[in-house]
Amino acid sequence: QVAKQIHDDGIDILIDIAGHTGHNRLGVFARRPAPVQMTWLDYLCTTGLAAMNYRITDAIADPEGNEVFHSEKVLRMPHTQWCWQPDGSAPDVSAPPSERNGCITFGSFNNAQKLTDSTLALWRALLNALPEARMRIGGIADGFARARVLEALGCQESRLTFLPRLDIHEYRQSFAEVDIALDPTPFSGATTTLDALWQGVPVLTLPGERSCSRSSASLLSALAMNAWIASDADDFVGLAKRHSADRQGLIELRKGLRGRMQASPMLDVGAFTADLENLYRRAWRDWCESRIAADGAPSLPAGEHDALIRARSAMGAGQIDAAMTVLKPLVAAHPDWEIAKRDLARAALAWSRAHPEALPVWSSPVPKTSRRKVSAIVCSIRPDYFNAVRARLGEQFADHDFELIGIHDAKSLCEGYNRGAARAMGDVLIFCHDDIDTVHDDFGERVFHHLAHHDVLGVVGTSRLVGGDWGYAGAPHVHGQVVHRPPGETGFIYLGVGLQAPVITGIQALDGVFIATHRHVWEALKFDEATFDGFHLYDIDFTWRAHLAGYRLAVPLDLLLLHFSTGRYDMKWQAFHRRFLNKFPQLSGRPSARRYTSLHVKLQTLEQVERLHSGLFHHNFGA
């Protein structure tokens, strides 16, 4: 719902500020509702999402070469990626505690989860090198957590002061008892570092390679405090000793640190915002000027944007034919241009209302077939689904010798389908999901009509298989349509992937939601139980082998199916995908840049689905 709202609002640049933290919304970004998507701020690593275009950072947090750690393109702010506003209730800066007690006190108030073994080992070396020093550690619960820290630091308990989790006021007051704050590794502080610096407490950090360990280094660099950034563990201890010995330097630094921060880029909100806006503008221009399309297709020229504006003007004036004339070639040339696709869908729906004589392909009658033997094999563990599909298919094939074979204990879909087909009496076999329905009452007759001319039928598929997902090829090599209605949804989600001809031939692989074939095809090929002993890739493997064997595969556009769920491409699917590519090494497995070119449109009624189909099909919608 969020992705749909963002998409419908026409957002150009969408920004994630959570990454892989709790309660994130990366599922929204995976659906790519906006053409340019960025991640920033709260999660200091790559998201790993193919749909995330950019990650905002700076040259200290991510120096040159850190691109190798990112799936996104790295965009660097000119100064620092941080902009901060101090709390007006923060206490005044106090004198360093070493003036009162004569010894240096180190402190840490970072999240206790950041106190890794490597962090504690580093601090142990520091405390060993400075035997008179003390340390205050906040947010460590009593019991095992404190015992672990005490054992890891290997010093007398009297040198350590443990503080419970504090409220915000007590937390800020606690910096008054610290001379030098220590940054954890490999997960550096950010807000905690800023709070310490605002209270006049310098922070000693040891950055690593990746950005999650370099936050404090970025902040210190913005304050010209490079002398507090260690190069390795020995340097970390050496800097601690040197700064601890310079008591007057600590006093002067503490007095001036708040003013230094106020004069720094990280508190200059106006300049920071301008820099951030320039970065957004640069990313948007890059997208407009150098969009990468499949097969070396050219960038999107400015004239294409003008064409979209002309089409919208025509729509606003009620000139639907003129709008379709502009939009159809526009989408054909740029099938991944989401805004243009949505406009085409609106125009096609309006066009079909204005042209009731343009009928969908399923309006053409098909001759009635003489009585046939047909068997449907369904693997199901849901009695309600199974009973519903049995009733619907029974109606479709009521004039034929029909049987529905239910496999309720399938070890895998391949095993279940093979077992059911071996028992079947039909010369026509149907392999389908249990959560489907047919939209039109003559669906069964249409299946027989097309099987008279083809060997294997499906409702969606590809004429160019490049991997284990039939959608990898993208436009214009994907074909067909299906209507989704997930549980709990209202209305219908129309998925159109290619409506180029009434019957699309030359298909190389089909989706397994519905496959109809002749018995002799299954007998020659059978499903590969040995390789695909689960519930993924059975369909692509079977239909790809049928294509390689010379059988004729087709996607007829008059077979409209209602599906009550959507596919899942999880880690199990990925494992079977590797098996599939090992079996067919001639396939690259690399998806095309036009992979996500299907049209997803939410409609309220099946009548709207039919109208949209007639408008799109009349104009040979290809993506």
Side-chain angles (χ1 to χ4, degrees):
Q1 291 171 335
V2 172
K4 181 181 184 302
Q5 180 176 331
I6 292 167
H7 184 279
D8 291 347
D9 287 347
I11 300 301
D12 298 309
I13 301 176
L14 188 64
I15 302 164
D16 160 56
I17 58 169
H20 289 284
T21 60
H23 307 292
N24 69 71
R25 303 308 299 270
L26 290 179
V28 172
F29 287 82
R31 288 167 171 82
R32 198 184 283 278
V36 176
Q37 302 192 147
M38 301 179 173
T39 185
W40 175 45
L41 202 61
D42 204 29
Y43 182 72
L44 302 178
C45 291
T46 180
T47 64
L49 289 184
M52 196 71 75
N53 304 99
Y54 299 97
R55 180 170 170 267
I56 299 172
T57 181
D58 60 53
I60 303 300
D62 281 287
E64 291 295 330
N66 268 26
E67 286 80 1
V68 298
F69 301 132
H70 293 81
S71 60
E72 307 88 359
K73 183 176 180 180
V74 174
L75 289 178
R76 295 179 175 89
M77 291 286 286
H79 300 292
T80 176
Q81 62 178 314
W82 311 102
C83 188
W84 190 64
Q85 183 174 357
D87 193 310
S89 65
D92 293 336
V93 175
S94 63
S98 54
E99 276 196 281
R100 301 189 304 273
N101 56 32
C103 67
I104 291 293
T105 301
F106 295 102
S108 167
F109 300 99
N110 294 90
N111 190 311
Q113 294 178 350
K114 292 187 177 183
L115 302 193
T116 60
D117 291 346
S118 57
T119 297
L120 296 175
L122 187 65
W123 294 354
R124 178 175 183 148
L126 183 152
L127 292 172
N128 286 340
L130 293 164
E132 301 301 319
R134 303 290 185 265
M135 188 164 188
R136 296 172 68 85
I137 306 175
I140 307 296
D142 197 8
F144 174 78
R146 292 189 182 181
R148 169 186 173 262
V149 172
L150 184 60
E151 180 182 1
L153 293 181
C155 65
Q156 294 177 347
E157 190 171 356
S158 59
R159 298 178 64 189
L160 303 178
T161 300
F162 289 103
L163 302 175
R165 188 171 179 84
L166 306 172
D167 66 34
I168 190 66
H169 178 72
E170 294 173 323
Y171 158 71
R172 292 193 175 115
Q173 291 283 2
S174 64
F175 285 105
E177 301 302 322
V178 174
D179 291 286
I180 298 172
L182 301 181
D183 198 35
T185 182
F187 299 101
S188 180
T191 304
T192 311
T193 299
L194 287 163
D195 288 334
L197 295 171
W198 188 248
Q199 294 306 130
V201 178
V203 179
L204 182 60
T205 187
L206 174 58
E209 281 187 305
R210 296 174 186 257
S211 49
C212 61
S213 72
R214 303 182 63 85
S215 306
S216 293
S218 170
L219 296 168
L220 292 168
S221 294
L223 297 172
M225 294 177 63
N226 293 338
W228 293 86
I229 303 173
S231 58
D232 55 33
D234 290 340
D235 190 37
F236 184 89
V237 174
L239 287 176
K241 293 173 67 175
R242 192 175 84 196
H243 291 308
S244 297
D246 185 9
R247 301 296 177 87
Q248 189 58 39
L250 285 177
I251 294 172
E252 296 302 321
L253 180 60
R254 198 175 185 104
K255 289 179 180 178
L257 200 45
R258 186 169 284 190
R260 186 184 295 195
M261 290 185 73
Q262 290 170 326
S264 74
M266 72 179 73
L267 265 71
D268 190 341
V269 177
F272 183 93
T273 304
D275 289 339
L276 190 62
E277 289 172 344
N278 287 335
L279 184 147
Y280 293 155
R281 175 61 63 188
R282 191 171 84 222
W284 178 250
R285 283 175 176 158
D286 286 348
W287 185 81
C288 291
E289 295 171 3
S290 60
R291 293 173 63 211
I292 300 175
D295 305 319
S299 307
L300 193 67
E304 305 287 51
H305 295 275
D306 296 336
L308 189 65
I309 293 170
R310 289 198 309 274
R312 289 184 172 180
S313 298
M315 280 283 290
Q319 300 169 352
I320 310 303
D321 287 272
M324 289 297 294
T325 301
V326 175
L327 287 167
K328 195 268 177 176
L330 197 62
V331 172
H334 306 288
D336 56 341
W337 193 4
E338 196 67 23
I339 295 172
K341 282 193 296 182
R342 302 290 291 193
D343 281 5
L344 177 66
R346 294 187 183 97
L349 197 55
W351 185 92
S352 66
R353 292 194 189 102
H355 296 81
E357 73 281 2
L359 301 174
V361 293
W362 44 74
S363 63
S364 302
V366 294
K368 194 167 181 61
T369 307
S370 58
R371 196 170 186 87
R372 299 287 301 274
K373 292 181 179 180
V374 57
S375 301
I377 298 96
V378 175
C379 296
S380 177
I381 58 172
R382 289 281 302 265
D384 52 342
Y385 283 10
F386 182 75
N387 291 333
V389 77
R390 176 171 57 187
R392 189 55 171 154
L393 292 180
E395 293 171 357
Q396 290 289 347
F397 300 103
D399 296 333
H400 300 271
D401 296 326
F402 171 73
E403 65 174 352
L404 179 65
I405 298 175
I407 305 296
H408 307 296
D409 59 348
K411 298 179 179 65
S412 68
L413 281 178
C414 288
E415 183 275 331
Y417 281 158
N418 284 339
R419 193 192 334 159
R423 289 166 40 194
M425 57 81 180
D427 56 357
V428 170
L429 301 179
I430 293 173
F431 305 97
C432 64
H433 291 192
D434 61 353
D435 57 344
I436 63 167
D437 196 358
T438 56
V439 176
H440 302 108
D441 292 336
D442 61 351
F443 184 94
E445 289 299 330
R446 294 181 182 277
V447 168
F448 289 135
H449 171 71
H450 293 299
L451 281 176
H453 309 283
H454 307 284
D455 300 308
V456 190
L457 304 177
V459 293
V460 283
T462 182
S463 55
R464 181 185 175 191
L465 189 69
V466 297
D469 181 344
W470 59 266
Y472 273 12
H477 308 291
V478 288
H479 312 277
Q481 64 194 331
V482 69
V483 181
H484 290 288
R485 193 176 195 177
E489 290 273 356
T490 58
F492 303 90
I493 301 172
Y494 177 75
L495 170 63
V497 296
L499 313 177
Q500 296 93 336
V503 180
I504 298 143
T505 59
I507 297 295
Q508 296 184 355
L510 296 164
D511 186 89
V513 65
F514 180 91
I515 296 174
T517 188
H518 299 281
R519 182 180 188 86
H520 67 84
V521 176
W522 170 79
E523 289 177 339
L525 299 172
K526 292 191 173 59
F527 289 91
D528 182 357
E529 300 178 32
T531 306
F532 304 103
D533 53 353
F535 297 86
H536 299 287
L537 274 297
Y538 67 95
D539 48 353
I540 304 299
D541 172 75
F542 180 80
T543 54
W544 173 240
R545 287 188 293 116
H547 161 71
L548 295 178
Y551 291 109
R552 299 163 298 172
L553 281 65
V555 172
L557 296 189
D558 59 350
L559 299 180
L560 189 61
L561 204 66
L562 192 59
H563 191 201
F564 296 107
S565 66
T566 56
R568 293 181 62 188
Y569 295 89
D570 53 14
M571 294 303 293
K572 290 182 180 178
W573 185 91
Q574 296 288 351
F576 282 106
H577 189 213
R578 288 192 291 272
R579 293 190 189 185
F580 180 80
L581 294 178
N582 289 336
K583 183 175 179 180
F584 301 106
Q586 69 269 36
L587 300 174
S588 69
R590 293 190 297 273
S592 161
R594 287 185 172 177
R595 159 185 195 188
Y596 300 105
T597 53
S598 304
L599 176 69
H600 290 78
V601 184
K602 184 71 175 289
L603 301 170
Q604 296 306 309
T605 65
L606 287 172
E607 180 186 3
Q608 286 182 319
V609 171
E610 298 200 337
R611 287 188 180 277
L612 178 59
H613 170 93
S614 65
L616 292 172
F617 177 71
H618 185 84
H619 291 269
N620 294 320
F621 177 58

